[in-house]
């Protein structure tokens, strides 16, 4: 009988020990998450913090960090965090939000390239593909409406980049190349302000 009581006591002790260990781990996890969120709230975003976020394996924190890094133009880090969310999480609840952030990253690269017409043109194609791809993949998403003005902004920016490159061609003495670009702006971006400028340019530079 005594042996049975000792066995029961051992089992109870082990059970309590396991519960205490689990509670301690949860407290440590909660503290780590709170620390990361506090640092994100202060605007921090660097590779070390991103690795800490990924090690926590908390999907919501991955997206919070990705958004924070995106808003601070740490685009490579934001991309890694979004990829971690989409690639490692099963049955994620906010996949459309993660895909939304993923589409905004090339859009941000496009915006940051302002002033470099050729680079903006190249990045514009990537941004346009990402934004329209999101719309096709998630037609019912609440974030879909936010993509429409961004797609329009990309097209307007690409049209202006083409126009600026045409003007540069003219300055370099490549008149025919300039005309071809201006016609391309007219036909490919007919609703853009650059198309109106291209029409005016072509009228002023008739051969």
């Amino acid at each position: 009988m005594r042996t049975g009581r000792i066995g029961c006591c051992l089992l109870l002790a082990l059970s309590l020990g396991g519960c205490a260990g689990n509670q301690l781990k949860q407290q440590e996890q909660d503290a780590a998450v709170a620390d990361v969120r506090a640092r994100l709230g202060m605007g921090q975003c660097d590779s070390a913090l991103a690795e800490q976020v990924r090690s926590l394996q908390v999907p919501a924190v991955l997206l919070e960090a990705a958004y924070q890094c995106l808003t601070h133009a740490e685009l490579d880090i934001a991309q890694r965090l979004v990829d971690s969310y989409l690639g490692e999480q099963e049955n994620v609840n906010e996949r459309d939000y993660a895909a939304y952030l993923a589409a905004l990253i090339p859009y941000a690269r496009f915006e940051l390239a302002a002033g470099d017409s050729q680079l903006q043109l190249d990045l514009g194609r990537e941004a346009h593909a990402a934004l329209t791809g999101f719309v096709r993949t998630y037609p019912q998403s609440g974030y879909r409406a936010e993509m429409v003005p961004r797609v329009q902004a990309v097209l307007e920016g690409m049209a202006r980049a083409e126009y600026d490159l045409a003007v540069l061609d003219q300055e370099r003495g490549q008149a025919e190349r300039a005309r071809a670009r201006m016609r391309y702006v007219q036909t490919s971006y007919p609703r853009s302000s650059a198309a109106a400028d291209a029409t005016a340019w072509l009228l002023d530079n008739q051969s």
Side-chain angles (χ1 to χ4, degrees):
M1 188 72 173
R2 185 177 179 182
T3 302
R5 288 177 180 173
I6 292 173
C8 289
C9 289
L10 286 173
L11 287 173
L12 179 60
L14 288 172
S15 176
L16 291 174
C19 291
N22 290 336
Q23 289 176 350
L24 180 60
K25 288 180 180 179
Q26 187 60 52
Q27 289 172 356
E28 291 174 348
Q29 175 83 344
D30 292 344
V33 169
D35 175 63
V36 164
R37 281 182 163 147
R39 292 164 65 188
L40 289 171
M42 292 186 290
Q44 292 187 23
C45 176
D46 53 40
S47 295
L49 182 59
E51 287 306 313
Q52 184 179 354
V53 169
R54 292 170 70 181
S55 70
L56 291 174
Q57 297 184 333
V58 179
V61 179
L62 271 172
L63 291 185
E64 290 171 27
Y67 174 80
Q68 183 68 36
C69 292
L70 173 59
T71 58
H72 284 77
E74 294 290 349
L75 304 183
D76 290 340
I77 298 175
Q79 186 71 64
R80 290 200 297 272
L81 291 167
V82 170
D83 289 345
S84 292
Y85 183 91
L86 292 172
E88 298 175 9
Q89 306 300 326
E90 295 182 0
N91 300 318
V92 291
N93 294 324
E94 296 192 62
R95 182 170 290 275
D96 67 326
Y97 178 59
Y100 164 75
L101 293 179
L104 290 184
I105 292 171
Y107 175 76
R109 295 189 196 281
F110 165 77
E111 285 196 319
L112 291 171
D116 186 332
S117 296
Q118 186 59 60
L119 179 59
Q120 193 168 45
L121 192 59
D122 295 339
L123 294 176
R125 296 187 182 101
E126 296 177 14
H128 186 268
L131 296 173
T132 55
F134 175 87
V135 171
R136 286 194 300 270
T137 304
Y138 300 95
Q140 304 302 319
S141 173
Y143 303 105
R144 184 181 186 277
E146 296 185 29
M147 293 303 188
V148 175
R150 290 188 168 95
V151 170
Q152 293 173 342
V154 168
L155 292 174
E156 185 70 37
M158 291 173 68
R160 183 57 58 184
E162 285 281 11
Y163 177 88
D164 290 344
L165 289 171
V167 171
L168 184 60
D169 287 337
Q170 181 189 35
E171 292 172 353
R172 291 173 175 171
Q174 299 175 312
E176 285 306 315
R177 183 180 175 89
R179 287 191 189 89
R181 275 193 185 277
M182 291 298 185
R183 294 190 190 99
Y184 180 78
V185 172
Q186 280 184 312
T187 57
S188 297
Y189 309 99
R191 298 180 181 178
S192 68
S193 62
D197 292 343
T199 298
W201 186 96
L202 287 166
L203 290 173
D204 290 340
N205 293 272
Q206 293 180 7
S207 54

